[in-house]
Amino acid sequence: MLFVHTSSSEINPVISLDPERKLDLSFLISLKWWANALNTVLALWRQFFIAAFLLGWSNIFCVYAELFLKSNVDLIQLELSDVHELMRLGGILAFCTFLGLVLGLVSLSVWMTRLTALSRLVLVSKPVSEYSQVKDEVIEKRGYLTTFWMVGALFLVPTLVPASVFMSLNILSSSQISILGEPLLSLPAWSLLPITVSQSILLSVALAHSLILIIASSWLEMQPFKTATQSAAILFKQFFKIMLVTVLVVLINALISAPITIYISYFAPESMRQDLFFVTIGQLWFGISASLLWPLSLLIFLQLISNSFSRTEKLPE
């Protein structure tokens, strides 16, 4: 059953866990469910804003590094004629990349804590007004969560490693940097489409698996290895249904979070693609809009698969 409350401080969880309704997609056409989901993320958006803001700036510095590299590509041809210039360019590039990665890691840590708390809030049927207390419970279980994600990461390797390989092939084959006049990597034109499609499929599977793992971890009481195994089993037993929902989640995020970035990357004039102002606006919007869209994405998966877990394998008291 779903609840609607006008007061954001008293909104109940949008999901009522019915054990007879596993992997039921009917909620996707329920206006009442969407209204409650939106009420929930709007009531909690401040909790996710810091993580979203850090995400935006992480992306900005990484894109700055990419634009800086492209704008100076003629000067970086692995020639040693001007060592000082190469060191200066390399230092700027390294600084932007390092800052982007550091902000990204901090953002990821904050995101994981807050999304896990949202999942637990719903699973234990507490109102939104108790989110801060639930978040404190999650923080107290840092040791358990670290162990769980060390195990969970092993289950993500089969998708993330080949996806990283395909991403590297795409990046190297399109790079403007050359060595002695030759491109870093030359691939036949026909191979680019299958590489891109394979990369997209693998990243989508990794996204779905990650959201399932977040939900599993939020119980805070189940054996890490058996729960991670159960998460993988849920994904592959109901692969097509879960991937259908994953495509929906990706489309919602892309249409709302990334229109500016997509336009700049693929349709805008070359001058706009190199304009730091438009790049910054696009990445900031991507990050800030995530404060609503990522919790909403998790709520969709919670409604879909939360009742698929068996909670018989608990940690010893």
Side-chain angles (χ1 to χ4, degrees), residues 131-149:
Y131 177 84
S132 294
Q133 295 94 304
V134 174
K135 183 176 66 177
D136 291 339
E137 292 178 26
V138 170
I139 293 173
E140 289 175 2
K141 291 285 189 175
R142 286 189 300 263
Y144 167 81
L145 291 171
T146 299
T147 301
F148 179 90
W149 279 103

Side-chain angles (χ1 to χ4, degrees), residues 139-247:
I139 293 173
E140 289 175 2
K141 291 285 189 175
R142 286 189 300 263
Y144 167 81
L145 291 171
T146 299
T147 301
F148 179 90
W149 279 103
M150 289 176 65
V151 175
L154 296 177
F155 287 82
L156 291 172
V157 166
T159 50
L160 287 180
V161 169
S164 299
V165 171
F166 288 129
M167 289 177 66
S168 299
L169 292 174
N170 261 328
I171 293 171
L172 292 175
S173 63
S174 61
S175 174
Q176 298 180 36
I177 300 177
S178 61
I179 301 177
L180 300 177
E182 296 294 328
L184 291 178
L185 180 65
S186 181
L187 294 174
W190 62 264
S191 67
L192 297 179
L193 179 60
I195 288 175
T196 302
V197 170
S198 300
Q199 169 190 314
S200 301
I201 292 173
L202 288 168
L203 289 176
S204 297
V205 174
L207 171 63
H209 199 170
S210 298
L211 289 170
I212 295 172
L213 286 169
I214 289 174
I215 295 169
S217 71
S218 66
W219 287 112
L220 302 179
E221 60 185 11
M222 299 162 66
Q223 295 286 357
F225 182 79
K226 291 187 177 180
T227 307
T229 303
Q230 192 178 157
S231 300
I234 291 170
L235 173 63
F236 290 106
K237 284 180 181 178
Q238 299 291 336
F239 182 79
F240 292 105
K241 189 176 289 188
I242 290 174
M243 291 312 299
L244 178 64
V245 174
T246 303
V247 170

Side-chain angles (χ1 to χ4, degrees), residues 37-53:
L38 290 173
N39 280 339
T40 300
V41 297
L42 287 171
L44 292 173
W45 74 270
R46 292 180 183 85
Q47 296 285 345
F48 297 96
F49 182 79
I50 294 177
F53 186 74

Side-chain angles (χ1 to χ4, degrees), residues 38-311:
L38 290 173
N39 280 339
T40 300
V41 297
L42 287 171
L44 292 173
W45 74 270
R46 292 180 183 85
Q47 296 285 345
F48 297 96
F49 182 79
I50 294 177
F53 186 74
L54 291 172
L55 172 67
W57 278 103
S58 169
N59 290 343
I60 285 169
F61 280 107
C62 289
V63 173
Y64 279 4
E66 179 187 357
L67 293 178
F68 178 79
L69 183 60
K70 288 180 178 179
S71 64
N72 292 277
V73 67
D74 292 335
L75 300 175
I76 308 175
Q77 296 297 335
L78 301 183
E79 297 178 1
L80 300 180
S81 57
D82 192 342
V83 175
H84 293 293
E85 181 65 14
L86 288 176
M87 290 179 64
R88 184 185 73 83
L89 296 174
I92 296 173
L93 182 63
F95 174 77
C96 290
T97 304
F98 174 76
L99 198 54
L101 290 176
V102 169
L103 289 174
L105 289 174
V106 174
S107 172
L108 177 62
S109 175
V110 178
W111 270 117
M112 294 302 292
T113 298
R114 282 160 170 70
L115 288 176
T116 303
L118 173 60
S119 177
R120 182 161 182 79
L121 182 83
V122 174
L123 292 175
V124 298
S125 301
K126 290 189 176 182
V128 166
S129 57
E130 295 186 25
Y131 177 84
S132 294
Q133 295 94 304
V134 174
K135 183 176 66 177
D136 291 339
E137 292 178 26
V138 170
I139 293 173
E140 289 175 2
K141 291 285 189 175
R142 286 189 300 263
Y144 167 81
L145 291 171
T146 299
T147 301
F148 179 90
W149 279 103
M150 289 176 65
V151 175
L154 296 177
F155 287 82
L156 291 172
V157 166
T159 50
L160 287 180
V161 169
S164 299
V165 171
F166 288 129
M167 289 177 66
S168 299
L169 292 174
N170 261 328
I171 293 171
L172 292 175
S173 63
S174 61
S175 174
Q176 298 180 36
I177 300 177
S178 61
I179 301 177
L180 300 177
E182 296 294 328
L184 291 178
L185 180 65
S186 181
L187 294 174
W190 62 264
S191 67
L192 297 179
L193 179 60
I195 288 175
T196 302
V197 170
S198 300
Q199 169 190 314
S200 301
I201 292 173
L202 288 168
L203 289 176
S204 297
V205 174
L207 171 63
H209 199 170
S210 298
L211 289 170
I212 295 172
L213 286 169
I214 289 174
I215 295 169
S217 71
S218 66
W219 287 112
L220 302 179
E221 60 185 11
M222 299 162 66
Q223 295 286 357
F225 182 79
K226 291 187 177 180
T227 307
T229 303
Q230 192 178 157
S231 300
I234 291 170
L235 173 63
F236 290 106
K237 284 180 181 178
Q238 299 291 336
F239 182 79
F240 292 105
K241 189 176 289 188
I242 290 174
M243 291 312 299
L244 178 64
V245 174
T246 303
V247 170
L248 173 64
V249 165
V250 170
L251 285 176
I252 291 173
N253 279 267
L255 290 174
I256 299 176
S257 276
I260 299 175
T261 302
I262 292 172
Y263 174 75
I264 292 174
S265 300
Y266 298 103
F267 304 105
E270 186 63 29
S271 58
M272 184 179 289
R273 297 183 190 183
Q274 305 296 325
D275 192 311
L276 294 182
F277 173 77
F278 291 107
V279 170
T280 301
I281 293 299
Q283 293 301 328
L284 275 179
W285 171 248
F286 175 84
I288 292 172
S289 61
S291 63
L292 296 175
L293 293 174
W294 290 18
L296 177 62
S297 301
L298 181 66
L299 288 178
I300 293 173
F301 265 75
L302 269 164
Q303 181 68 77
L304 180 67
I305 60 94
S306 57
N307 289 309
S308 299
F309 286 97
S310 169
R311 298 179 60 202

